[in-house]
């Protein structure tokens, strides 16, 4: 019933070994070399990414220092501009105060002159007023 044919067994073994040899040279070795190359490429890319991370961190630190310096310069410039503006306002304010003080002195002098003029005019008209008052008393 079941006979084992040695020639057929040998032929099957030869076909199997030759198939493994052919598959090894045409499929397994190229596939393994491709996977090895891919692993090497992945390792290289990971190293590059690590280097890029270091570069990115360095560039971020430089950018932060530049921004910090710019903020400090801006603050210093702002303080200088504010101080200059205050100085300009103070000088204009002092000039206006001096001008107003001068105008006030002129006004006081004018007022004093008007007072003297009015006093002299009233003193000149005192006799006329006295006569007008005497005339009113005499009518009463």
């Amino acid at each position: 019933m079941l006979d084992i044919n040695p020639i057929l067994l040998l032929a099957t073994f030869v076909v199997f070994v030759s198939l493994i040899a052919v598959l090894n040279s045409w499929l397994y070795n190229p596939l393994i070399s491709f996977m090895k190359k891919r692993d090497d490429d992945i390792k290289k890319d990971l190293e590059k990414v690590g280097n890029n991370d270091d570069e990115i961190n360095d560039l971020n630190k430089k950018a932060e220092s530049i921004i910090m310096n710019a903020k400090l310069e801006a603050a210093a410039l702002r303080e200088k501009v504010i101080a200059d503006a205050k100085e300009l306002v103070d000088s204009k304010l002092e000039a206006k105060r001096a001008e107003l003080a001068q105008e006030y002195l002129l006004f006081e002098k004018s007022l004093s002159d008007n007072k003297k003029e009015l006093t002299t005019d009233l003193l000149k008209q005192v006799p006329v007023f006295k006569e007008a008052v005497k005339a009113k008393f005499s009518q009463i």
Side-chain angles (χ1 to χ4, degrees):
M1 236 176 39
L2 287 175
D3 286 332
I4 297 178
N5 192 350
I7 293 176
L8 195 55
L9 183 65
L10 184 64
T12 304
F13 182 72
V14 169
V15 169
F16 179 72
V17 169
S18 63
L19 181 63
I20 287 182
V22 169
L23 284 177
N24 189 31
S25 65
W26 285 359
L27 179 66
Y28 297 135
N29 284 337
L31 187 61
I32 288 172
S33 67
F34 173 76
M35 288 171 40
K36 192 175 204 180
K37 183 179 180 293
R38 190 186 76 193
D39 287 342
D40 292 341
D41 289 343
I42 288 172
K43 285 179 185 177
K44 287 179 185 176
D45 288 343
L46 286 175
E47 288 175 7
K48 286 181 183 177
V49 167
N51 291 339
N52 285 344
D53 285 343
D54 292 340
E55 289 178 22
I56 288 171
N57 289 336
D58 290 342
L59 291 175
N60 279 338
K61 287 178 184 177
K62 286 181 184 177
E64 287 175 5
S65 68
I66 289 172
I67 289 172
M68 186 62 81
N69 289 338
K71 285 181 180 179
L72 291 175
E73 287 178 14
L77 183 61
R78 186 179 323 117
E79 291 298 323
K80 182 181 180 279
V81 168
I82 289 172
D84 290 346
K86 283 182 180 180
E87 185 178 316
L88 179 64
V89 166
D90 287 343
S91 67
K92 285 185 178 182
L93 188 62
E94 194 60 38
K96 193 63 173 179
R97 283 182 181 160
E99 179 184 335
L100 288 175
Q102 184 66 27
E103 287 179 7
Y104 185 72
L105 289 176
L106 290 175
F107 173 72
E108 282 183 337
K109 183 181 178 196
S110 170
L111 191 62
S112 173
D113 291 345
N114 285 342
K115 181 180 175 184
K116 288 180 184 177
E117 186 178 310
L118 186 60
T119 305
T120 56
D121 284 344
L122 286 175
L123 288 176
K124 286 181 183 176
Q125 294 180 2
V126 166
V128 174
F129 288 133
K130 283 184 180 179
E131 289 179 19
V133 169
K134 284 182 185 178
K136 286 289 182 179
F137 281 135
S138 62
Q139 289 178 355
I140 299 185

